[in-house]
Amino acid sequence: MPITLNDEAAQVAFGEMLGQALAGRGQVHLIGDLGAGKTTLARGILRAYGHDGAVKSPTYTLVEPYETASARIFHFDLYRLGDPEELEFMGARDMLGSDALCLIEWPSRGAGWLPVPDLEIHLQLVSDGRRVAGTAYSQQGRAALARMPASLSHKEDEC
């Protein structure tokens, strides 16, 4: 069952909780229409690791790396990706295969190249904010959902 986040502050707070639950590792696909709040959620996740600076969508650079005291995080935005093979040429395999947390906006643009994520987060614009639902595809993803507060995670593989 999805949850509704009423405003940007609630979305950032949810992202912080999710970031803590992820423990600095894994691959998370952020899925939603333009303006659904994928980058806002990424900002909250980054705050969980102590990043207080700006978080912009790496639409033109495709990836923005962040190094904190407790995690290496790669924030991808594949909206402008012309071909999934471009990910190979930019060294994404090393980033995705590392012991890092990878947040990937517009993962459908990398279909056929990206591996199955640990966790998929769907964001949808609704009249009273954003509706968020998550699905785990790995033990790591299930463990992250299990670490979320009980009010947000009520099934083992979905929030």
Side-chain angles (χ1 to χ4, degrees):
M1 180 173 172
I3 62 167
T4 300
L5 304 170
N6 296 324
D7 55 25
E8 183 177 339
Q11 197 169 351
V12 170
F14 176 81
E16 286 186 68
M17 287 186 281
L18 181 58
Q20 291 167 358
L22 290 164
R25 294 181 349 144
Q27 187 180 133
V28 180
H29 289 183
L30 304 175
I31 300 170
D33 292 334
L34 284 171
K38 297 176 294 294
T39 300
T40 301
L41 187 64
R43 182 172 10 118
I45 293 169
L46 283 158
R47 284 196 178 161
Y49 300 99
H51 179 77
D52 288 329
V55 175
K56 60 182 166 91
S57 182
T59 303
Y60 293 101
T61 59
L62 297 180
V63 65
E64 186 71 35
Y66 296 89
E67 191 84 30
T68 70
S70 59
R72 285 184 328 127
I73 302 158
F74 296 101
H75 179 198
F76 292 84
D77 183 334
L78 305 184
Y79 185 75
R80 296 197 183 278
L81 189 70
D83 183 303
E85 286 299 314
E86 290 176 42
L87 292 165
E88 185 71 45
F89 300 121
M90 62 184 270
R93 189 174 308 277
D94 291 336
M95 292 177 237
L96 296 170
S98 69
D99 214 13
L101 175 57
C102 295
L103 308 173
I104 304 172
E105 297 184 30
W106 300 99
S108 61
R109 308 282 177 141
W113 193 92
L114 289 172
V116 174
D118 295 296
L119 191 59
E120 207 170 70
I121 301 293
H122 292 263
L123 296 132
Q124 179 183 14
L125 287 164
V126 293
S127 62
D128 53 350
R130 305 290 192 272
R131 184 158 296 131
V132 180
T135 305
Y137 292 98
S138 71
Q139 181 56 40
Q140 186 171 341
R142 286 186 287 281
L145 287 182
R147 287 189 287 268
M148 292 293 286
S151 62
L152 300 177
S153 177
H154 46 274
K155 286 176 60 180
E156 183 180 359
D157 62 353
E158 190 172 334
C159 74

